[in-house]
Amino acid sequence: RIQILFEKMAKKSKVNARLKKKEAKPKPLNPFEIRHKKSKQRVVGVKERTIGGVPGISRSRAIEKRKETLGVEYKKRMKKNKFVDERFGAHDTNLTPEEKMLKR
């Protein structure tokens, strides 16, 4: 029984070690998702930059950033922190309560 328990424990630790290794590895980029630039003419002394960027990843980052910044503002746009009386004559001190009722 003791040997069986030790074997099970060892297996779990090996599985956990494998999972950690998988998480640590960066995901390889798909070559079809990378935008390549082709220079029109070569210039002496200037390093060529052939890889232009990763549009899919850049787009997803931009969307996430918008959700964090503009999304919060969009959700709060119709909410107010205090009650404001916007009825006719509410702030007019010259009117009596009966005149205010008639205006409304």
Side-chain angles (χ1 to χ4, degrees):
R1 286 186 163 195
I2 294 173
Q3 288 179 343
I4 295 171
L5 291 174
F6 284 124
E7 286 177 9
K8 286 184 179 179
M9 291 172 65
K11 286 182 181 178
K12 285 183 182 178
S13 65
K14 287 181 182 178
V15 170
N16 289 337
R18 281 189 220 138
L19 289 174
K20 287 179 183 176
K21 284 183 182 178
K22 283 183 180 179
E23 290 174 2
K25 288 183 181 178
K27 188 177 177 183
L29 291 174
N30 185 350
F32 294 102
E33 292 178 353
I34 299 173
R35 185 177 64 219
H36 295 278
K37 293 181 182 177
K38 184 179 177 187
S39 62
K40 294 183 180 179
Q41 60 266 0
R42 292 184 180 185
V43 180
V44 177
V46 177
K47 187 177 180 181
E48 281 191 19
R49 296 183 186 102
T50 56
I51 298 176
V54 189
I57 294 173
S58 301
R59 187 177 297 117
S60 64
R61 284 184 190 158
I63 291 170
E64 287 298 320
K65 190 174 181 181
R66 281 188 208 109
K67 283 182 184 176
E68 291 173 3
T69 56
L70 295 175
V72 175
E73 290 180 18
Y74 182 75
K75 286 179 183 177
K76 292 181 179 178
R77 69 188 164 109
M78 299 300 278
K79 297 183 181 185
K80 296 179 182 174
N81 208 14
K82 51 190 167 186
F83 176 77
V84 179
D85 191 4
E86 296 178 351
R87 296 177 294 177
F88 291 114
H91 302 291
D92 194 358
T93 56
N94 297 334
L95 297 175
T96 62
E98 293 84 22
E99 291 174 341
K100 288 181 185 179
M101 294 288 281
L102 288 173
K103 275 195 166 186
R104 294 177 192 157

